[in-house]
C-alpha cells in the first residue's frame, strides 16, 4: 500500500499491480483538473532557441495580473515544488508547518515542527500552510493568516487557489510584508506535465531567488503555454463554474453512498470510511485509481471524474465495494 500513499498519478504502477479490465482506467488520484486547457496544440513553440527573456517577463506579468499581484514580486519556476525547496534555507525560525499537508512542507526545513490545521495560531518565526489544504481541502480563514503575518512570516501554498481565487492572499505580497505565496499552473489548467509554477515574494527576495536560479528557469514551451492559458479569461471563468458544478455532483454521489465528505477545494474531495485502504483496492480492481494515506487509514482522496460516465462508474464501484 505504501506505493500509493506517496503521491497520486501512478497509473502505470496501478496497471501493473491490478491489471486492466474491460473498461479504461479512471485516474482520480491527483486533484488535477480533468479538463485540460485546450489551446496547446495551436501554439507555435520554437524548440531551436533558448527561452526569450522578454517572453519570460511577459509570462510573469500575465500571471501576476491573474493572481492580482505585483509583477515585481512574481517569479516563474519549473513547478512550485522547486520554490518551496529554494525557500527552506531562508526561512526564519522557528518554522512550523500544518499537518496533514503537503509532504514537501515538512521536508523543506528539517527541524520544522508540525501543527494541526485546527490549531494554527500566530507566532514568531515562520508558518508554512496550504490554503486550500491538501489532502483535506480545508480553508484557513484569512484573518488567521493575516494574524500570522503580524507576528512572523507566512509561506502560503496556494496550489489549488486558481479554482476559487476568493481566498487568495497573492495580492497582498509586497515590500515590507512577511508573506510568500506559491502558485501552481498545472493543477487548475490540467497540464501538470508542463511543470510550471510561481513564487510570489517581496521584490528583494524575488530578485535574490531569480539570480540564484539563473537565466532560463522554465522552458520555451512552458512560457508559451502559460502565457496563452493565463490570457484566456473566458476559459478560466467558465472552468471555475464547471469545476464547482462537478464538485457538487461528486458530493451528492458520495453522500448518497453514505460517506462523510470533507473539503472546500473544487478539484477533489476527501472521504472518511472505516478502512480506506480496502476501499482503495476495491476501486482499483474496477480500474479506478484514488489516493489513500499512510497516516490515516480512514481517509481516501477522490478527484473529479471527467464526465457523467466516469461519475456513474465511480458510483457503481462504490455501491459494490
Amino acid at each position: 500500500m505504501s506505493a500509493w500513499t506517496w503521491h497520486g498519478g501512478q497509473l502505470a504502477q496501478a496497471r501493473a499491480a491490478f491489471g486492466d479490465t474491460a473498461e479504461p482506467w479512471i485516474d482520480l488520484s491527483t486533484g488535477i483538473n480533468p479538463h485540460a486547457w485546450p489551446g496547446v496544440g495551436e501554439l507555435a513553440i520554437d524548440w531551436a532557441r533558448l527561452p526569450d527573456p522578454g517572453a519570460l517577463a511577459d509570462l510573469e506579468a500575465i500571471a501576476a495580473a491573474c493572481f492580482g499581484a505585483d509583477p515585481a514580486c512574481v517569479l516563474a519556476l519549473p513547478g512550485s515544488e522547486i520554490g518551496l525547496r529554494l525557500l527552506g534555507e531562508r526561512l526564519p525560525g522557528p518554522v512550523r508547518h500544518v499537518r496533514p499537508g503537503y509532504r514537501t512542507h515538512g521536508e523543506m526545513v528539517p527541524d520544522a515542527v508540525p501543527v494541526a490545521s485546527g490549531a494554527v495560531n500566530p507566532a514568531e518565526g515562520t508558518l508554512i500552510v496550504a490554503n486550500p489544504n491538501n489532502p483535506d481541502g480545508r480553508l484557513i480563514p484569512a484573518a488567521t493568516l493575516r494574524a500570522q503575518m503580524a507576528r512572523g512570516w507566512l509561506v502560503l501554498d496556494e496550489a489549488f487557489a486558481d479554482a476559487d481565487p476568493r481566498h487568495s492572499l497573492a495580492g497582498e505580497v509586497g515590500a515590507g510584508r512577511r508573506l510568500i505565496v506559491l502558485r501552481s499552473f498545472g493543477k487548475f489548467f490540467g497540464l501538470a506535465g508542463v511543470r510550471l509554477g510561481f513564487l510570489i515574494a517581496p521584490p528583494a527576495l524575488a530578485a535574490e531567488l531569480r539570480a540564484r536560479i539563473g537565466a532560463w528557469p522554465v522552458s520555451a514551451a512552458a512560457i508559451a503555454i502559460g502565457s496563452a492559458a493565463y490570457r484566456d479569461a473566458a476559459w478560466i471563468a467558465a472552468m471555475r463554474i464547471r469545476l464547482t458544478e462537478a464538485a457538487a455532483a461528486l458530493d451528492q454521489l458520495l453522500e448518497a453512498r453514505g460517506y462523510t465528505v470533507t473539503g472546500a477545494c473544487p478539484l477533489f474531495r476527501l472521504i472518511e470510511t472505516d478502512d480506506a485502504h480496502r476501499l482503495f483496492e476495491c476501486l482499483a480492481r474496477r480500474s479506478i485509481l484514488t489516493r489513500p494515506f499512510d497516516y490515516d487509514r480512514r481517509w481516501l482522496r477522490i478527484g473529479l471524474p471527467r464526465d457523467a460516465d466516469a461519475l456513474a462508474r465511480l458510483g457503481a464501484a462504490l455501491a459494490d465495494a
Side-chain angles (χ1 to χ4, degrees):
M1 182 58 65
S2 61
W4 315 111
T5 60
W6 184 254
H7 61 76
Q10 302 183 83
L11 195 55
Q13 294 91 323
R15 282 197 171 101
F18 297 100
D20 289 311
T21 64
E23 297 180 293
W25 276 86
I26 300 173
D27 187 358
L28 305 180
S29 68
T30 64
I32 294 170
N33 186 354
H35 311 290
W37 181 72
V40 174
E42 302 171 6
L43 298 176
I45 299 169
D46 187 350
W47 294 100
R49 298 179 61 83
L50 289 167
D52 180 73
L56 175 61
D58 288 345
L59 165 64
E60 292 172 343
I62 295 162
C66 284
F67 305 153
D70 180 349
C73 299
V74 176
L75 173 65
L77 297 166
S80 55
E81 167 91 0
I82 299 299
L84 288 166
R85 296 189 182 277
L86 281 172
L87 286 173
E89 63 195 56
R90 290 170 165 77
L91 298 176
V95 176
R96 300 171 295 150
H97 69 96
V98 169
R99 192 168 65 185
Y102 280 106
R103 194 182 302 272
T104 303
H105 295 175
E107 295 175 347
M108 56 193 281
V109 180
D111 58 353
V113 176
V115 296
S117 58
V120 174
N121 296 310
E124 304 295 329
T126 302
L127 174 67
I128 306 167
V129 60
N131 209 41
N133 193 34
N134 178 49
D136 55 25
R138 289 192 172 96
L139 286 163
I140 295 177
T144 301
L145 299 174
R146 292 188 180 106
Q148 169 59 32
M149 292 160 55
R151 293 284 304 276
W153 278 87
L154 174 66
V155 176
L156 188 57
D157 192 333
E158 293 187 344
F160 291 103
D162 280 312
D164 184 356
R166 293 175 298 172
H167 309 284
S168 173
L169 298 187
E172 300 185 21
V173 178
R177 305 299 300 278
R178 292 183 287 190
L179 173 63
I180 301 168
V181 174
L182 283 300
R183 294 292 283 260
S184 169
F185 172 79
K187 291 180 175 61
F188 175 72
F189 288 95
L191 296 169
V194 173
R195 302 309 303 142
L196 177 62
F198 298 87
L199 184 144
I200 309 166
L205 177 57
E208 177 188 344
L209 293 174
R210 187 184 304 280
R212 178 167 184 185
I213 62 177
W216 303 289
V218 297
S219 70
I223 292 172
I225 294 168
S227 297
Y230 280 120
R231 281 194 182 104
D232 196 344
W235 184 91
I236 291 170
M239 184 53 60
R240 285 171 177 160
I241 295 170
R242 185 176 186 178
L243 293 177
T244 299
E245 292 173 347
L250 179 59
D251 286 344
Q252 184 177 11
L253 182 147
L254 294 172
E255 290 167 359
R257 295 288 183 268
Y259 293 104
T260 300
V261 182
T262 301
C265 178
L267 286 167
F268 62 84
R269 288 295 188 259
L270 186 76
I271 63 171
E272 291 191 20
T273 184
D274 290 339
D275 190 348
H277 288 193
R278 184 197 67 81
L279 179 58
F280 165 84
E281 292 186 352
C282 289
L283 294 175
R285 294 190 190 100
R286 300 282 292 269
S287 296
I288 299 174
L289 184 61
T290 54
R291 172 75 190 281
F293 298 91
D294 53 7
Y295 49 78
D296 197 323
R297 292 185 62 94
R298 301 168 301 162
W299 284 6
L300 193 70
R301 196 185 67 185
I302 301 176
L304 290 185
R306 178 176 178 79
D307 51 31
D309 289 342
L311 185 67
R313 275 187 58 191
L314 174 62
L318 289 172
D320 294 340

